[in-house]
Amino acid sequence: MKDTRIRQVLARRVWDSRGRPTVEAEVTLGDGALGRAIVPAGASTGTREALELRDGGSAFGGLDVQRALAHVQGEIAAALAGCDAADQAALDRCLIALDGTPDKTRLGANATLAVSLAAAHAAAASAGLPLYRWLGSTLGGGPATLLPMPQIQIFGGGAHAGRRVDIQDFMVVCPGATSFAQALEWTAEVYRCAGLGMRRRGPLHGVADEGGWWPDFDTNEQALQALVAAIEEAGFAPGAQVAIALDVAASEFGRDGRYRLGLEGRELDADGLIELLLRWIERYPIVSIEDPLAEDDLDGFARFTRAAGRRVQVVGDDLLVSQAARVQEAAAAGAANCVLLKPNQRGTLTETLDAWRAAQAAGYAGIVSARSGETEDTSIVHLAIGWGVGQLKVGAFARGERMAKWNEALRIEQRLGAAARFAGAAAFGHSR
Ligand code: PGA
Ligand code: ZN
């Protein structure tokens, strides 16, 4: 018998893709197996997310994480000493009880998630399995052979690009692709053609936080037109082969039922925004829309889902914050048909899985998602495959912290060989 009891928990400060401090945890087991994980950070965060504990003060703009690191090496390490890392649910229950608050406001979700995830890595290492297989054989209980449909950003906007466009993510998915590798090949061509097109029309401000091109557009709709042009220039049929996914991230520009489109100098109410999005769905090959309305507008979400939910996937990010109870509440209201899963929105692996289980019970689809502040950590790829979630959103087809994830999924696809299945268009929420 391997000794999977936790022997040591270490924390260190590392740096994310925006050059900001973040938490890395390292868990060592009795048999010497070691697991390591780094926590990412959002910019357009939902107000109901679990707390990301930052130090405040003047160093690094108040974003240092010394308090979270101290919690990992102090209280958490002491409480988990001797705990069985192979029993993730019990370990996470221990973290939740130790924190004692609904949203990890005492220890910080960055402290708890780093340890929760590092422990999973350690348990997988002890079992001699890659993390996705370990998750498939324990937590998720699935075959862990489903490769996700990638949602890949082509243009970045909103809080990730100086708010040059109001819509945050203009992304593509590849419903016509027959494998994960092929979806990446197609997206690579679309991303390249979009960049060439942007340079031609200029000016281009480089790339946004998640690696998408960051151009000057006069209207949000211009970005949609440019995206269709890039798909065509790359040689693909818009819609059938390569389609559009949006993250409106409406909480960023909407409050109390008013939505301010700064780029176009106009303000809409919820129904005005819904009408605008419905018009875009008519005109452009859009198959997925995330956060079409603000996080506090469950009613608006439900109205939009009634109007568009059979044609497009309606994704709740800020609305659902990877929380099972929020998913159940939204499902009861008929709001959204897909959950975005970001482990650091809740602070443990088990609670994130609970949100996915609640989503499946409600007939929702799911997307495992990175944050805008990322690192070389590729754990989320393993979560997507290990839990059989079917879709993965990581940002653009550029920047090392993004490519690390796409490349990790390619490795897994190759390792699985003939056993690998590609989620394809069936992954989308509206087709269920
Ligand atoms: P965030 O953005 O990581 O800045 O929250 C990602 C998203 O909104 O999906
Ligand atoms: Zn989002």
Side-chain angles (χ1 to χ4, degrees):
M1 264 310 272
K2 298 229 171 178
D3 181 2
T4 51
R5 284 172 303 177
I6 292 177
R7 192 170 74 200
Q8 188 186 44
V9 181
L10 285 178
R12 69 176 63 89
R13 181 179 69 196
V14 294
W15 304 87
D16 75 12
S17 54
R18 283 190 278 246
R20 295 175 183 172
T22 190
V23 178
E24 175 170 273
E26 211 165 87
V27 169
T28 309
L29 306 186
D31 61 9
L34 184 139
R36 190 169 65 211
I38 312 177
V39 173
S44 64
T45 50
T47 54
R48 292 182 188 82
E49 293 190 19
L51 179 81
E52 182 183 84
L53 188 63
R54 301 281 186 179
D55 295 349
S58 56
F60 314 122
L63 296 175
D64 208 355
V65 290
Q66 297 301 334
R67 286 195 291 155
L69 297 176
H71 288 156
V72 173
Q73 302 216 124
E75 274 190 61
I76 294 177
L80 294 189
C83 272
D84 186 3
D87 188 348
Q88 185 80 40
L91 185 143
D92 287 338
R93 271 199 305 278
C94 181
L95 285 170
I96 293 162
L98 183 68
D99 173 77
T101 71
D103 292 319
K104 317 287 183 305
T105 42
R106 205 176 69 76
L107 296 173
N110 41 355
T112 56
L113 179 67
V115 175
S116 176
L117 205 44
H121 277 284
S126 172
L129 293 173
L131 182 62
Y132 73 96
R133 282 195 53 200
W134 169 251
L135 294 175
S137 68
T138 56
L139 287 173
T145 53
L146 187 67
L147 269 291
M149 171 68 81
Q151 267 199 8
I152 306 188
Q153 189 191 62
I154 305 297
F155 301 126
H160 301 157
R163 298 181 199 280
R164 273 303 302 146
V165 284
D166 302 292
I167 307 300
Q168 181 178 286
D169 295 324
F170 294 88
M171 299 172 286
V172 293
V173 291
C174 298
T178 54
S179 70
F180 180 84
Q182 188 176 48
L184 287 195
E185 284 170 19
W186 291 10
T187 306
E189 294 290 20
V190 174
Y191 183 77
R192 189 176 63 82
C193 289
L196 290 174
M198 288 302 102
R199 272 191 206 98
R200 274 200 302 273
R201 67 191 285 283
L204 186 64
H205 305 288
V207 298
D209 275 10
E210 297 191 11
W213 302 111
W214 175 358
D216 265 336
F217 291 116
D218 299 324
T219 64
N220 289 288
E221 197 165 345
Q222 258 185 17
L224 287 168
Q225 290 159 357
L227 192 45
V228 172
I231 293 169
E232 283 171 344
E233 200 172 320
F236 300 108
Q241 286 182 299
V242 180
I244 296 176
L246 300 177
D247 182 359
V248 178
S251 305
E252 289 294 309
F253 58 87
R255 196 147 292 116
D256 302 325
R258 306 294 303 172
Y259 295 88
R260 172 137 193 86
L261 295 174
L263 178 60
E264 298 163 25
R266 59 184 174 139
E267 199 173 277
L268 300 170
D269 62 11
D271 287 321
L273 181 58
I274 289 173
E275 252 173 60
L276 177 70
L277 295 174
L278 290 175
R279 214 156 47 235
W280 287 355
I281 293 169
E282 292 295 331
R283 284 186 201 158
Y284 304 95
I286 297 171
V287 295
S288 180
I289 300 191
E290 182 177 328
D291 285 349
L293 294 148
E295 62 195 349
D296 55 8
D297 192 359
L298 189 65
D299 267 7
F301 248 96
R303 289 202 299 285
F304 181 72
T305 307
R306 272 198 300 279
R310 272 183 301 278
R311 280 180 293 167
V312 300
Q313 173 170 268
V314 182
V315 188
D317 172 14
D318 292 352
L319 178 79
L320 304 174
V321 290
S322 306
Q323 191 175 356
R326 298 276 304 164
V327 172
Q328 283 155 353
E329 191 190 340
N337 56 29
C338 177
V339 64
L340 200 77
L341 298 165
K342 292 169 165 171
N344 80 322
Q345 284 183 326
R346 281 313 295 148
T348 64
L349 217 45
T350 303
E351 287 165 286
T352 313
L353 178 61
D354 287 346
W356 172 227
R357 286 190 174 138
Q360 285 176 292
Y364 279 32
I367 306 172
V368 173
S369 171
R371 301 308 304 246
S372 50
E374 269 294 333
T375 68
E376 69 275 23
D377 187 292
T378 60
S379 304
I380 56 164
V381 176
H382 292 260
L383 303 193
I385 298 171
W387 294 344
V389 175
Q391 299 176 78
L392 180 64
K393 178 190 178 199
V394 165
F397 207 68
R399 297 183 56 136
E401 78 280 5
R402 314 289 151 187
M403 303 318 292
K405 275 79 159 171
W406 303 133
N407 290 339
E408 181 74 352
L410 284 176
R411 287 181 200 106
I412 296 174
E413 185 177 46
Q414 188 186 30
R415 279 290 180 90
L416 285 169
R421 296 170 298 133
F422 179 51
F428 303 141
H430 60 96
S431 60
R432 300 190 159 206

